[in-house]
Amino acid sequence: MTRPRLTERILAARLQRTMQGRVRQRRIVTRRDGVRYEVDGRWLTNFGGNDYLGLSQHFAVVDALQASAARDGAGSGASHLVCGHHANHDALERELADWLGAPRALLFGSGFLANLAVMQSLLTEDDVCVQDRLNHASLIDAARLAGCKLRRYPHADPEGALRQLRTVPDGVAMLATDGVFSMDGDIAPLRELSLVARVQQALMYVDDAHGVGVVGPDGRGCVAEAGLDASGLLQLATLGKALGGYGAVVLGSEEMIGHLAETARPYIFTTAIPPAQAASTLAAVKLARRDHWRREKLQSLIAHFRHTALFRDLPLLPSNTPIQPLMCGDDKRATALATALEAQGFWVPAIRPPTVPDGRSRLRITLSSLHTQAEVDALVDALTWARDAVEMGYGAGAKQSSGAAVA
Ligand SMILES: *Cc1c(COP(=O)(O)O)cnc(C)c1O
């Protein structure tokens, strides 16, 4: 018996990533002050996070975390079904269900876990899950874990979804889509997709990780924006993006959510999020519901960014959400642009395969209500300069000295 050597496989994979310009490295953040991040001893203006409403550092949210931690401790101590289900979890589930207009909500450790849970507990090998080609990785992995048939349709194409559902007429069917697409920023055609789901008797599942808090009336997300009835479908919201915390929630009918709570392995066999985390997210939800000005400011920053960037011929994808990708195509070009931006004081992540398809590398620019118009203007100047510098082959950092003036 000769087994392949794992260490050799790892080395070969690393070498390939190096040659493709796809090595991934973490950066250490030492301090944060709103959108200003201290990284490797330098302060950068961050345009890469998902804290769209700036709630992760809001005093009321942090205060709720501290007060609850002092009272309830640092951790929950067990899974929900054993003895980890705290009144704070219950209060948060009720508030989220009320806000998003669903009969019942169930908290999860993360959006990734929630997606695994939904499909693993609802679908079997006889069933089919039809998904948008650009869906989040956790939805794809969830279908694999469930062992169901997985059929993907072209991006935002309801007719494609219909065709795929027709190819598997037997078994239970689920139609799963991102609400706001995490790397493109566009919104799924939910009204048309829900018609397709109804005609094909499929359960509609909307992963609205990036929509809740930001999109729709009172920030209720893409489902509410499309005018769909939240009790007739399943919906995921994450607590770690616009709500500024950590964890996720799945919303739907009493029966569906009850089934998840008793059967989903990624729910049963994992520790409940800390009660203090639930308390602080409850404070964040109340702010997100109450204060429209953060969404209004965000929308005006988005409009301003698009207007000024398109005027400079910067290749933005069509998007009206805080996710504003700038297409680069080539991986190395994306990395060079990100490096050139950092030299000018901006932190914008280069997103490369496998997060996006081959040849579709991009800068994923995200806006927050904490940004100022002046910061957005400075970013557009820096992007324009970086684009020109990289195009002319000066490469990254060629104009470092003028960075301070731009930033
Ligand atoms: C971020 C994200 C997730 C995962 O959520 P986490 O809470 O970060 O694990 C799931 N789906 C989509 C579309 C996402 O963008």
Side-chain angles (χ1 to χ4, degrees), residues 324-356:
Q324 292 291 326
L326 186 125
M327 287 308 292
C328 304
D330 176 47
D331 301 2
K332 288 187 177 135
R333 186 151 180 276
T335 317
L337 279 170
T339 310
L341 284 173
E342 187 176 330
Q344 297 177 82
F346 296 96
W347 194 6
V348 182
I351 307 287
R352 296 161 287 166
T355 309
V356 291

mmCIF file of all heavy atoms in Angstrom, residues 324-356:
data_model
loop_
_atom_site.group_PDB
_atom_site.id
_atom_site.type_symbol
_atom_site.label_atom_id
_atom_site.label_comp_id
_atom_site.label_asym_id
_atom_site.label_seq_id
_atom_site.Cartn_x
_atom_site.Cartn_y
_atom_site.Cartn_z
ATOM 1 N N GLN A 324 -20.203 47.280 -3.919
ATOM 2 C CA GLN A 324 -19.929 47.964 -5.184
ATOM 3 C C GLN A 324 -18.647 47.410 -5.805
ATOM 4 O O GLN A 324 -17.571 48.000 -5.682
ATOM 5 C CB GLN A 324 -19.788 49.477 -4.927
ATOM 6 C CG GLN A 324 -21.076 50.153 -4.506
ATOM 7 C CD GLN A 324 -22.083 50.212 -5.656
ATOM 8 O OE1 GLN A 324 -21.706 50.346 -6.826
ATOM 9 N NE2 GLN A 324 -23.363 50.093 -5.334
ATOM 10 N N PRO A 325 -18.742 46.272 -6.507
ATOM 11 C CA PRO A 325 -17.530 45.655 -7.031
ATOM 12 C C PRO A 325 -16.985 46.395 -8.257
ATOM 13 O O PRO A 325 -17.745 46.896 -9.083
ATOM 14 C CB PRO A 325 -17.995 44.250 -7.439
ATOM 15 C CG PRO A 325 -19.380 44.115 -6.936
ATOM 16 C CD PRO A 325 -19.935 45.476 -6.786
ATOM 17 N N LEU A 326 -15.659 46.460 -8.303
ATOM 18 C CA LEU A 326 -14.971 47.046 -9.449
ATOM 19 C C LEU A 326 -14.243 45.911 -10.154
ATOM 20 O O LEU A 326 -13.362 45.275 -9.581
ATOM 21 C CB LEU A 326 -13.977 48.102 -8.955
ATOM 22 C CG LEU A 326 -13.281 48.903 -10.034
ATOM 23 C CD1 LEU A 326 -13.519 50.386 -9.760
ATOM 24 C CD2 LEU A 326 -11.795 48.643 -10.077
ATOM 25 N N MET A 327 -14.653 45.630 -11.396
ATOM 26 C CA MET A 327 -14.116 44.470 -12.098
ATOM 27 C C MET A 327 -12.663 44.682 -12.500
ATOM 28 O O MET A 327 -12.294 45.744 -12.992
ATOM 29 C CB MET A 327 -14.945 44.177 -13.353
ATOM 30 C CG MET A 327 -16.305 43.582 -13.065
ATOM 31 S SD MET A 327 -16.264 42.143 -11.978
ATOM 32 C CE MET A 327 -15.441 40.976 -13.039
ATOM 33 N N CYS A 328 -11.848 43.636 -12.298
ATOM 34 C CA CYS A 328 -10.443 43.675 -12.681
ATOM 35 C C CYS A 328 -10.117 42.571 -13.679
ATOM 36 O O CYS A 328 -9.207 42.704 -14.470
ATOM 37 C CB CYS A 328 -9.548 43.488 -11.461
ATOM 38 S SG CYS A 328 -9.873 44.690 -10.170
ATOM 39 N N GLY A 329 -10.877 41.468 -13.629
ATOM 40 C CA GLY A 329 -10.620 40.331 -14.515
ATOM 41 C C GLY A 329 -9.505 39.462 -13.974
ATOM 42 O O GLY A 329 -9.726 38.512 -13.231
ATOM 43 N N ASP A 330 -8.299 39.865 -14.307
ATOM 44 C CA ASP A 330 -7.098 39.117 -13.954
ATOM 45 C C ASP A 330 -6.809 39.200 -12.442
ATOM 46 O O ASP A 330 -6.918 40.264 -11.840
ATOM 47 C CB ASP A 330 -5.969 39.749 -14.787
ATOM 48 C CG ASP A 330 -4.631 39.145 -14.473
ATOM 49 O OD1 ASP A 330 -4.552 37.914 -14.417
ATOM 50 O OD2 ASP A 330 -3.665 39.913 -14.272
ATOM 51 N N ASP A 331 -6.416 38.076 -11.851
ATOM 52 C CA ASP A 331 -6.132 38.039 -10.405
ATOM 53 C C ASP A 331 -5.028 39.019 -10.015
ATOM 54 O O ASP A 331 -5.118 39.702 -9.005
ATOM 55 C CB ASP A 331 -5.619 36.652 -9.976
ATOM 56 C CG ASP A 331 -6.601 35.552 -10.270
ATOM 57 O OD1 ASP A 331 -7.673 35.843 -10.837
ATOM 58 O OD2 ASP A 331 -6.287 34.408 -9.931
ATOM 59 N N LYS A 332 -3.961 39.013 -10.814
ATOM 60 C CA LYS A 332 -2.794 39.814 -10.421
ATOM 61 C C LYS A 332 -3.101 41.301 -10.522
ATOM 62 O O LYS A 332 -2.607 42.111 -9.738
ATOM 63 C CB LYS A 332 -1.583 39.444 -11.288
ATOM 64 C CG LYS A 332 -1.070 38.055 -10.900
ATOM 65 C CD LYS A 332 0.227 37.676 -11.574
ATOM 66 C CE LYS A 332 0.680 36.314 -11.044
ATOM 67 N NZ LYS A 332 1.137 35.413 -12.086
ATOM 68 N N ARG A 333 -3.954 41.659 -11.476
ATOM 69 C CA ARG A 333 -4.350 43.058 -11.614
ATOM 70 C C ARG A 333 -5.165 43.484 -10.384
ATOM 71 O O ARG A 333 -4.988 44.583 -9.857
ATOM 72 C CB ARG A 333 -5.182 43.207 -12.895
ATOM 73 C CG ARG A 333 -5.522 44.621 -13.220
ATOM 74 C CD ARG A 333 -5.700 44.868 -14.714
ATOM 75 N NE ARG A 333 -6.036 46.274 -14.873
ATOM 76 C CZ ARG A 333 -7.279 46.730 -14.744
ATOM 77 N NH1 ARG A 333 -8.278 45.915 -14.518
ATOM 78 N NH2 ARG A 333 -7.501 48.030 -14.841
ATOM 79 N N ALA A 334 -6.025 42.606 -9.930
ATOM 80 C CA ALA A 334 -6.828 42.911 -8.740
ATOM 81 C C ALA A 334 -5.918 43.133 -7.535
ATOM 82 O O ALA A 334 -6.094 44.091 -6.774
ATOM 83 C CB ALA A 334 -7.815 41.776 -8.474
ATOM 84 N N THR A 335 -4.929 42.253 -7.393
ATOM 85 C CA THR A 335 -4.010 42.381 -6.262
ATOM 86 C C THR A 335 -3.186 43.658 -6.372
ATOM 87 O O THR A 335 -2.982 44.358 -5.377
ATOM 88 C CB THR A 335 -3.064 41.159 -6.211
ATOM 89 O OG1 THR A 335 -3.848 39.989 -6.455
ATOM 90 C CG2 THR A 335 -2.391 41.031 -4.870
ATOM 91 N N ALA A 336 -2.728 43.978 -7.596
ATOM 92 C CA ALA A 336 -1.918 45.190 -7.790
ATOM 93 C C ALA A 336 -2.728 46.441 -7.445
ATOM 94 O O ALA A 336 -2.229 47.376 -6.808
ATOM 95 C CB ALA A 336 -1.408 45.255 -9.235
ATOM 96 N N LEU A 337 -4.007 46.438 -7.833
ATOM 97 C CA LEU A 337 -4.864 47.588 -7.517
ATOM 98 C C LEU A 337 -5.062 47.726 -6.008
ATOM 99 O O LEU A 337 -4.988 48.829 -5.458
ATOM 100 C CB LEU A 337 -6.225 47.435 -8.206
ATOM 101 C CG LEU A 337 -6.282 47.837 -9.674
ATOM 102 C CD1 LEU A 337 -7.612 47.403 -10.291
ATOM 103 C CD2 LEU A 337 -6.107 49.339 -9.833
ATOM 104 N N ALA A 338 -5.280 46.594 -5.350
ATOM 105 C CA ALA A 338 -5.478 46.635 -3.895
ATOM 106 C C ALA A 338 -4.227 47.160 -3.199
ATOM 107 O O ALA A 338 -4.316 47.964 -2.262
ATOM 108 C CB ALA A 338 -5.845 45.248 -3.375
ATOM 109 N N THR A 339 -3.063 46.733 -3.676
ATOM 110 C CA THR A 339 -1.805 47.195 -3.077
ATOM 111 C C THR A 339 -1.607 48.690 -3.317
ATOM 112 O O THR A 339 -1.192 49.429 -2.419
ATOM 113 C CB THR A 339 -0.618 46.398 -3.664
ATOM 114 O OG1 THR A 339 -0.928 45.006 -3.571
ATOM 115 C CG2 THR A 339 0.661 46.678 -2.917
ATOM 116 N N ALA A 340 -1.928 49.137 -4.537
ATOM 117 C CA ALA A 340 -1.792 50.563 -4.852
ATOM 118 C C ALA A 340 -2.744 51.405 -3.995
ATOM 119 O O ALA A 340 -2.403 52.501 -3.565
ATOM 120 C CB ALA A 340 -2.059 50.797 -6.342
ATOM 121 N N LEU A 341 -3.925 50.876 -3.733
ATOM 122 C CA LEU A 341 -4.883 51.591 -2.877
ATOM 123 C C LEU A 341 -4.380 51.662 -1.446
ATOM 124 O O LEU A 341 -4.492 52.694 -0.786
ATOM 125 C CB LEU A 341 -6.244 50.895 -2.901
ATOM 126 C CG LEU A 341 -7.070 51.116 -4.154
ATOM 127 C CD1 LEU A 341 -8.307 50.231 -4.105
ATOM 128 C CD2 LEU A 341 -7.476 52.582 -4.288
ATOM 129 N N GLU A 342 -3.793 50.569 -0.994
ATOM 130 C CA GLU A 342 -3.302 50.566 0.383
ATOM 131 C C GLU A 342 -2.189 51.592 0.558
ATOM 132 O O GLU A 342 -2.111 52.268 1.588
ATOM 133 C CB GLU A 342 -2.818 49.169 0.783
ATOM 134 C CG GLU A 342 -2.479 49.133 2.259
ATOM 135 C CD GLU A 342 -2.086 47.767 2.770
ATOM 136 O OE1 GLU A 342 -2.572 46.762 2.218
ATOM 137 O OE2 GLU A 342 -1.304 47.735 3.729
ATOM 138 N N ALA A 343 -1.358 51.733 -0.487
ATOM 139 C CA ALA A 343 -0.287 52.733 -0.422
ATOM 140 C C ALA A 343 -0.868 54.134 -0.243
ATOM 141 O O ALA A 343 -0.215 55.022 0.282
ATOM 142 C CB ALA A 343 0.563 52.656 -1.689
ATOM 143 N N GLN A 344 -2.100 54.301 -0.667
ATOM 144 C CA GLN A 344 -2.748 55.611 -0.519
ATOM 145 C C GLN A 344 -3.671 55.684 0.690
ATOM 146 O O GLN A 344 -4.440 56.627 0.827
ATOM 147 C CB GLN A 344 -3.529 55.927 -1.796
ATOM 148 C CG GLN A 344 -2.621 56.039 -3.014
ATOM 149 C CD GLN A 344 -3.432 56.277 -4.262
ATOM 150 O OE1 GLN A 344 -3.816 57.400 -4.546
ATOM 151 N NE2 GLN A 344 -3.722 55.217 -4.978
ATOM 152 N N GLY A 345 -3.614 54.646 1.538
ATOM 153 C CA GLY A 345 -4.349 54.714 2.795
ATOM 154 C C GLY A 345 -5.722 54.076 2.785
ATOM 155 O O GLY A 345 -6.528 54.335 3.687
ATOM 156 N N PHE A 346 -6.010 53.233 1.787
ATOM 157 C CA PHE A 346 -7.334 52.592 1.722
ATOM 158 C C PHE A 346 -7.203 51.083 1.781
ATOM 159 O O PHE A 346 -6.321 50.500 1.138
ATOM 160 C CB PHE A 346 -8.053 52.979 0.424
ATOM 161 C CG PHE A 346 -8.346 54.453 0.356
ATOM 162 C CD1 PHE A 346 -7.487 55.315 -0.307
ATOM 163 C CD2 PHE A 346 -9.457 54.965 1.004
ATOM 164 C CE1 PHE A 346 -7.738 56.673 -0.342
ATOM 165 C CE2 PHE A 346 -9.718 56.327 0.968
ATOM 166 C CZ PHE A 346 -8.855 57.186 0.297
ATOM 167 N N TRP A 347 -8.109 50.478 2.499
ATOM 168 C CA TRP A 347 -8.121 49.019 2.595
ATOM 169 C C TRP A 347 -9.337 48.497 1.835
ATOM 170 O O TRP A 347 -10.471 48.680 2.255
ATOM 171 C CB TRP A 347 -8.180 48.584 4.058
ATOM 172 C CG TRP A 347 -7.858 47.139 4.255
ATOM 173 C CD1 TRP A 347 -7.428 46.249 3.320
ATOM 174 C CD2 TRP A 347 -7.934 46.422 5.490
ATOM 175 N NE1 TRP A 347 -7.226 45.019 3.893
ATOM 176 C CE2 TRP A 347 -7.533 45.091 5.216
ATOM 177 C CE3 TRP A 347 -8.298 46.756 6.803
ATOM 178 C CZ2 TRP A 347 -7.488 44.102 6.206
ATOM 179 C CZ3 TRP A 347 -8.253 45.773 7.777
ATOM 180 C CH2 TRP A 347 -7.846 44.460 7.483
ATOM 181 N N VAL A 348 -9.077 47.904 0.672
ATOM 182 C CA VAL A 348 -10.128 47.319 -0.159
ATOM 183 C C VAL A 348 -9.660 45.926 -0.559
ATOM 184 O O VAL A 348 -8.601 45.787 -1.164
ATOM 185 C CB VAL A 348 -10.377 48.159 -1.439
ATOM 186 C CG1 VAL A 348 -11.512 47.551 -2.253
ATOM 187 C CG2 VAL A 348 -10.667 49.604 -1.108
ATOM 188 N N PRO A 349 -10.402 44.889 -0.219
ATOM 189 C CA PRO A 349 -9.938 43.538 -0.525
ATOM 190 C C PRO A 349 -10.068 43.189 -2.007
ATOM 191 O O PRO A 349 -11.058 43.539 -2.652
ATOM 192 C CB PRO A 349 -10.845 42.643 0.316
ATOM 193 C CG PRO A 349 -12.074 43.452 0.539
ATOM 194 C CD PRO A 349 -11.670 44.897 0.519
ATOM 195 N N ALA A 350 -9.028 42.506 -2.526
ATOM 196 C CA ALA A 350 -9.097 41.923 -3.873
ATOM 197 C C ALA A 350 -9.748 40.555 -3.722
ATOM 198 O O ALA A 350 -9.294 39.731 -2.936
ATOM 199 C CB ALA A 350 -7.695 41.798 -4.451
ATOM 200 N N ILE A 351 -10.842 40.327 -4.432
ATOM 201 C CA ILE A 351 -11.553 39.044 -4.338
ATOM 202 C C ILE A 351 -11.234 38.217 -5.578
ATOM 203 O O ILE A 351 -11.473 38.662 -6.701
ATOM 204 C CB ILE A 351 -13.076 39.260 -4.220
ATOM 205 C CG1 ILE A 351 -13.402 40.220 -3.074
ATOM 206 C CG2 ILE A 351 -13.787 37.922 -4.057
ATOM 207 C CD1 ILE A 351 -13.239 39.671 -1.687
ATOM 208 N N ARG A 352 -10.677 37.048 -5.340
ATOM 209 C CA ARG A 352 -10.213 36.199 -6.448
ATOM 210 C C ARG A 352 -10.869 34.826 -6.381
ATOM 211 O O ARG A 352 -11.487 34.490 -5.381
ATOM 212 C CB ARG A 352 -8.683 36.067 -6.329
ATOM 213 C CG ARG A 352 -7.965 37.390 -6.508
ATOM 214 C CD ARG A 352 -6.562 37.345 -5.944
ATOM 215 N NE ARG A 352 -6.552 37.358 -4.483
ATOM 216 C CZ ARG A 352 -5.491 37.058 -3.730
ATOM 217 N NH1 ARG A 352 -4.374 36.714 -4.290
ATOM 218 N NH2 ARG A 352 -5.568 37.103 -2.416
ATOM 219 N N PRO A 353 -10.718 34.008 -7.434
ATOM 220 C CA PRO A 353 -11.226 32.642 -7.366
ATOM 221 C C PRO A 353 -10.590 31.925 -6.168
ATOM 222 O O PRO A 353 -9.453 32.255 -5.833
ATOM 223 C CB PRO A 353 -10.760 32.015 -8.682
ATOM 224 C CG PRO A 353 -10.493 33.190 -9.579
ATOM 225 C CD PRO A 353 -10.042 34.305 -8.709
ATOM 226 N N PRO A 354 -11.228 30.991 -5.486
ATOM 227 C CA PRO A 354 -12.523 30.421 -5.864
ATOM 228 C C PRO A 354 -13.742 31.198 -5.335
ATOM 229 O O PRO A 354 -14.859 30.738 -5.527
ATOM 230 C CB PRO A 354 -12.462 29.039 -5.200
ATOM 231 C CG PRO A 354 -11.654 29.264 -3.960
ATOM 232 C CD PRO A 354 -10.637 30.311 -4.314
ATOM 233 N N THR A 355 -13.513 32.349 -4.697
ATOM 234 C CA THR A 355 -14.659 33.110 -4.183
ATOM 235 C C THR A 355 -15.510 33.642 -5.338
ATOM 236 O O THR A 355 -16.728 33.784 -5.220
ATOM 237 C CB THR A 355 -14.159 34.265 -3.286
ATOM 238 O OG1 THR A 355 -13.262 33.726 -2.323
ATOM 239 C CG2 THR A 355 -15.299 34.954 -2.568
ATOM 240 N N VAL A 356 -14.869 33.992 -6.457
ATOM 241 C CA VAL A 356 -15.585 34.407 -7.673
ATOM 242 C C VAL A 356 -15.110 33.513 -8.821
ATOM 243 O O VAL A 356 -14.053 32.883 -8.704
ATOM 244 C CB VAL A 356 -15.322 35.906 -8.001
ATOM 245 C CG1 VAL A 356 -15.978 36.804 -6.959
ATOM 246 C CG2 VAL A 356 -13.834 36.201 -8.108
#
